[in-house]
Amino acid sequence: MSYKILSHGVSKFGKLEIALHRKSLEFYELLESKGVISYLKRVDHLGYVSKSYPGNNHKRWDYVMLQLYLLTKLRDKVFKLGLGSNKKIVDTEISGLEYLQIVILFSNMGYVNGTLSSQSGMLHFFEKKPNKKTSFLKNIRKHVNWSEYANKVIKEKDYYSLKYVVALNFLSNHDKNNEFKEIVDACLFKDNKQLNKLNWLHNRIRKICFIYLDSYNSDFPFTIDISKLLLNPANYIKLFNPNSTDFESLFDSIEETLTKKLYIAEKSVIDLYKNSELFNEYLSTYHKKIVFENYLPTLIKLKQNFILEKCEDSNCYQFYLEDNGINYLDKVFSLCKVEDGYKNCKTNKQRHEKDLNSKLSNKCVKVIYVKDYNSKFSFNNIILPKSGLSDSDEKIFILNYLNHHKKFIDSHPYNDHFPDPDKIFKQYFLQDYSRKVMLQLLRILFMQSEAITSTAYIDYQYRDAINKLYERGVLSTGFLSGKRSINNILNKISNKINYADIDNNFGLLSYLINHKNSINRNVHMFYCLFPVQIDKIGLEAKGLYHHENPKVFDKITDLDMIFVLFNKSKYQLFIVEGKDMRIGAESAIKKDFNENFKPLLNNPTNMPKIEYVFKDGIKGGYICYNNL
């Protein structure tokens, strides 16, 4: 038979029917004969994310079939996509439709249960068992370009692309006559110009389908109505025209939001980390039963299936760096090299964990670096036990944390094509990075639980004041190195900006640095000059009884200013409350710290003594975490 009709039910659409012909049918039957198709029907589409955000029951095969079905709707000549015409791929002649059907199957066949977490766990397993990696790559190495690609993926720990290497492992064993090698090469290496449009189309179809399926499962207020595309595809010619950019920013924005809110959200990262470790253990336990030269079929046949688990005992504290462009001298530049920075972090992950755990009695701090699929974001995640750090370990950790980020600033690559890279780097990158470092540290100091989450964010109601300060060359948040830089900023804020409470806070900053600073050698400083608001987010059942949102947001307090002075061995973390009041300032400061701030801390007994400053018109109080 030269064709086969696939039938499969997908929620909302019911039964979808797809016709496979010639080469795509041969490829499908090869996968089916080795159990790959039935396996894809069991694998959760979102892998580890299905544990973080339960409720989405889509399987990987649902995603594959939706792509194949949308592809069939684009055969109309009005799209001018060349799906019906034959293409010459070296010695193989194949229609555009067949080619893309094979590409869709090839792009998904290498996923195993857990998706990215399992792929990450597999890379860790290869580090421990290099002989198994050698077996896994044995037949791949018969093809020079496949071997180079696989080596690059494994060396760079590119878990997004490992699915392709798993697929190459399969084909190197079962595509005996290399019937699909040219097709796979065209998909992987994009070196056939006549297929550029088809490869672009595959990426567009892939995006539409995963956005449709995945947006239902995230904190995402809207989705794509794919039914319009399927009913009236001819109305959306521009959507499938590679020369049109009408929809590019829309898809990019949705994918970025799904990345932040779903794929690499804090809850997801915890389960990514846990299931990566579990899959590593799984391979370590059953590696004698798996023939790594023929990895996928033997893994599928194992009676002991890998079972995903939800992480219940850890919290994740995350921030991300973004490859944002800024306009400078009529040109758009990227602030920093996110991809290079991510690779640098991944390479030094063990050293970073060692630094953060230095001298801790319980070496429980984990670091996870994750990038998005398009390498536009690099996510910095610190994993801690839900029980938090002990009193003594918390004091030590703060110094480790500060020096860890100082080293990151020193080593992180930024774009050196700016006319004045040092100036631009300081003005933009350090402002953003310092803000995130300080807020992450505050979140680590505060409680995190299932019922209560403390948030920390900079309150920007003083936007005019921030702009006035910026005109003086002072950023609202930043990093400074050396006494001269710190004294320079004190000089720039010495003249009032006519915001009474902010001017009072700046006076406190100058007083504390000049009179309470005990670190004189090789001093560095992270700072937030404007108030950071602390909210408590809780859950109350009565909200549900009244058909209201069960989440309760309570503003606990705002911290008027935070700055930390440190070097390799010492630190002083000042949290400042300014009170520009005629009477009652001391009692108000005491109440803020003891009643609003202290109960939120992971280790309230660690809160330093409240100190007061009433001198030369300056009014306020502070606490100072330190290891002096």
Side-chain angles (χ1 to χ4, degrees):
M1 184 182 295
S2 60
Y3 71 91
K4 181 182 180 72
I5 295 178
L6 307 181
S7 295
H8 182 73
V10 176
S11 58
K12 187 175 180 180
F13 300 110
K15 184 186 292 185
L16 304 181
E17 293 184 333
I18 312 295
L20 299 178
H21 301 271
R22 299 186 304 173
K23 279 294 181 183
S24 60
L25 175 57
E26 291 176 28
F27 194 78
Y28 172 87
E29 289 178 336
L30 175 60
L31 301 185
E32 186 179 43
S33 67
K34 302 301 178 183
V36 176
I37 300 300
S38 60
Y39 184 67
L40 292 176
K41 293 178 180 179
R42 304 196 304 269
V43 170
D44 286 329
H45 165 56
L46 285 174
Y48 66 94
V49 180
S50 64
K51 291 297 178 184
S52 315
Y53 295 87
N56 187 311
N57 298 316
H58 289 115
K59 302 299 179 184
R60 178 58 53 170
W61 190 244
D62 296 336
Y63 175 54
V64 171
M65 285 294 290
L66 194 57
Q67 289 181 77
L68 293 172
Y69 186 70
L70 179 55
L71 177 61
T72 62
K73 293 290 184 176
L74 303 178
R75 294 184 65 186
D76 194 298
K77 291 181 180 179
V78 70
F79 291 104
K80 298 180 180 179
L81 294 171
L83 295 179
S85 60
N86 287 345
K87 310 291 180 184
K88 186 79 172 179
I89 306 176
V90 190
D91 296 326
T92 305
E93 192 167 277
I94 186 173
S95 73
L97 180 64
E98 290 174 84
Y99 170 74
L100 283 181
Q101 287 176 333
I102 293 172
V103 167
I104 290 170
L105 291 169
F106 171 76
S107 298
N108 289 276
M109 63 180 283
Y111 278 117
V112 300
N113 195 27
T115 59
L116 290 186
S117 61
S118 298
Q119 288 155 211
S120 174
M122 186 178 177
L123 290 172
H124 293 314
F125 172 77
F126 282 158
E127 289 180 345
K128 293 193 308 180
K129 297 279 188 181
N131 60 318
K132 298 298 180 182
K133 180 180 74 173
T134 301
S135 297
F136 177 78
L137 295 173
K138 180 180 177 181
N139 291 319
I140 292 177
R141 285 178 173 152
K142 295 176 181 177
H143 309 286
V144 175
N145 56 348
W146 288 9
S147 180
E148 289 175 352
Y149 177 80
N151 288 334
K152 183 174 184 291
V153 168
I154 293 174
K155 180 181 179 181
E156 296 181 357
K157 299 180 181 178
D158 181 1
Y159 41 77
Y160 282 105
S161 300
L162 191 64
K163 62 175 183 175
Y164 295 121
V165 182
V166 171
L168 295 180
N169 172 281
F170 177 93
L171 292 172
S172 65
N173 282 280
H174 301 290
D175 182 19
K176 299 299 183 184
N177 299 317
N178 293 328
E179 292 184 34
F180 300 105
K181 184 179 186 306
E182 289 83 6
I183 298 171
V184 168
D185 286 354
C187 167
L188 269 186
F189 307 119
K190 310 285 192 297
D191 55 0
N192 190 322
K193 292 184 179 180
Q194 68 169 324
L195 297 175
N196 284 349
K197 183 185 285 189
L198 294 179
N199 288 326
W200 177 91
L201 180 60
H202 167 240
N203 189 53
R204 175 52 50 92
I205 291 172
R206 180 188 69 84
K207 276 192 176 184
I208 290 171
C209 292
F210 79 66
I211 287 172
Y212 169 75
L213 290 176
D214 299 350
S215 57
Y216 286 109
N217 207 44
S218 68
D219 298 331
F220 198 57
F222 46 86
T223 186
I224 289 177
D225 187 0
I226 199 173
S227 60
K228 289 184 177 180
L229 299 179
L230 299 179
L231 285 172
N232 301 296
N235 289 344
Y236 302 95
I237 295 175
K238 284 189 176 181
L239 181 60
F240 300 102
N241 182 352
N243 296 316
S244 172
T245 59
D246 287 1
F247 294 92
E248 292 304 315
S249 58
L250 170 67
F251 284 114
D252 289 345
S253 297
I254 294 176
E255 184 174 1
E256 288 172 12
T257 304
L258 284 174
T259 297
K260 298 172 189 175
K261 296 289 187 181
L262 185 66
Y263 309 137
I264 313 181
E266 287 181 334
K267 286 198 297 184
S268 300
V269 168
I270 296 173
D271 290 321
L272 169 63
Y273 165 73
K274 180 179 181 66
N275 287 289
S276 173
E277 288 197 328
L278 288 175
F279 194 73
N280 184 359
E281 294 171 8
Y282 175 80
L283 292 179
S284 300
T285 301
Y286 298 111
H287 67 88
K288 292 182 180 179
K289 296 183 179 181
I290 301 171
V291 180
F292 280 84
E293 289 177 35
N294 188 26
Y295 173 72
L296 192 56
T298 55
L299 183 75
I300 290 170
K301 289 180 180 178
L302 270 183
K303 291 181 180 179
Q304 299 86 359
N305 294 323
F306 173 62
I307 299 174
L308 290 161
E309 295 183 15
K310 180 172 177 55
C311 183
E312 303 284 1
D313 57 1
S314 300
N315 283 323
C316 176
Y317 304 87
Q318 177 187 95
F319 67 76
Y320 61 84
L321 300 179
E322 185 174 1
D323 188 11
N324 262 340
I326 62 169
N327 194 301
Y328 186 73
L329 300 178
D330 295 326
K331 292 184 179 181
V332 177
F333 298 94
S334 293
L335 272 179
C336 57
K337 301 174 183 176
V338 167
E339 175 74 4
D340 291 346
Y342 166 77
K343 289 177 181 178
N344 183 35
C345 287
K346 288 287 285 185
T347 301
N348 295 293
K349 177 180 180 295
Q350 290 184 334
R351 180 175 62 80
H352 292 170
E353 286 190 348
K354 184 178 179 181
D355 289 345
L356 286 167
N357 283 290
S358 177
K359 298 182 181 180
L360 298 185
S361 59
N362 179 16
K363 300 189 183 304
C364 59
V365 183
K366 301 292 182 184
V367 177
I368 300 178
Y369 298 110
V370 190
K371 71 180 181 70
D372 68 312
Y373 181 81
N374 297 312
S375 300
K376 186 173 181 179
F377 299 94
S378 175
F379 293 81
N380 178 313
N381 304 277
I382 289 180
I383 308 295
L384 292 173
K386 278 193 174 176
S387 56
L389 299 168
S390 67
D391 288 7
S392 57
D393 277 354
E394 184 179 81
K395 285 186 176 182
I396 299 168
F397 172 79
I398 292 174
L399 179 65
N400 295 346
Y401 177 87
L402 295 169
N403 279 303
H404 164 71
H405 285 293
K406 166 66 170 58
K407 289 178 183 177
F408 183 92
I409 287 172
D410 290 341
S411 64
H412 191 73
Y414 60 95
N415 197 322
D416 53 7
H417 297 299
F418 284 119
D420 189 351
D422 186 58
K423 178 182 177 182
I424 299 297
F425 180 63
K426 286 180 179 178
Q427 286 201 343
Y428 292 95
F429 181 83
L430 284 183
Q431 176 176 237
D432 182 55
Y433 188 75
S434 302
R435 175 178 63 86
K436 291 173 178 177
V437 167
M438 295 299 285
L439 296 185
Q440 187 185 51
L441 178 58
L442 284 176
R443 290 190 62 219
I444 290 171
L445 293 176
F446 295 145
M447 285 191 298
Q448 299 286 330
S449 69
E450 289 297 322
I452 298 174
T453 300
S454 302
T455 64
Y457 57 94
I458 294 177
D459 188 342
Y460 278 114
Q461 64 172 302
Y462 300 103
R463 185 163 297 279
D464 287 343
I466 291 172
N467 289 336
K468 284 186 177 182
L469 211 59
Y470 186 77
E471 290 172 3
R472 301 181 186 181
V474 180
L475 302 174
S476 58
T477 60
F479 172 80
L480 302 170
S481 191
K483 278 187 176 181
R484 181 179 296 179
S485 297
I486 294 171
N487 289 332
N488 184 41
I489 200 173
L490 295 182
N491 290 332
K492 288 181 177 179
I493 65 172
S494 60
N495 295 325
K496 293 184 178 182
I497 59 173
N498 298 320
Y499 281 78
D501 50 348
I502 297 300
D503 287 328
N504 181 63
N505 293 344
F506 290 169
L508 283 166
L509 174 66
S510 296
Y511 174 83
L512 292 174
I513 290 177
N514 289 324
H515 298 283
K516 298 298 179 180
N517 171 27
S518 300
I519 303 171
N520 296 310
R521 293 175 60 85
N522 302 316
V523 63
H524 313 290
M525 178 180 174
F526 282 111
Y527 66 86
C528 291
L529 297 182
F530 288 85
V532 173
Q533 187 162 312
I534 308 298
D535 291 342
K536 182 175 72 174
I537 305 173
L539 296 174
E540 289 188 3
K542 68 179 183 180
L544 290 174
Y545 298 145
H546 293 94
H547 303 287
E548 297 172 352
N549 189 339
K551 283 188 177 180
V552 179
F553 290 79
D554 291 325
K555 177 181 176 180
I556 304 302
T557 188
D558 54 7
L559 310 177
D560 289 341
M561 185 184 300
I562 305 161
F563 67 95
V564 58
L565 303 166
F566 69 101
N567 59 21
K568 286 186 177 180
S569 59
K570 301 175 184 178
Y571 73 89
Q572 289 177 283
L573 171 60
F574 291 90
I575 299 177
V576 180
E577 279 291 301
K579 294 295 179 187
D580 188 25
M581 304 164 61
R582 290 187 177 181
I583 57 173
E586 184 172 331
S587 60
I589 293 166
K590 188 175 183 179
K591 180 179 179 181
D592 267 352
F593 277 121
N594 285 332
E595 297 183 19
N596 296 330
F597 183 78
K598 188 174 182 178
L600 275 181
L601 295 172
N602 270 315
N603 296 302
T605 56
N606 254 10
M607 192 182 92
K609 177 184 176 183
I610 304 170
E611 304 284 353
Y612 302 95
V613 179
F614 297 103
K615 190 173 183 179
D616 299 329
I618 302 168
K619 300 175 184 178
Y622 67 93
I623 58 175
C624 178
Y625 286 88
N626 65 82
N627 67 341
L628 303 178

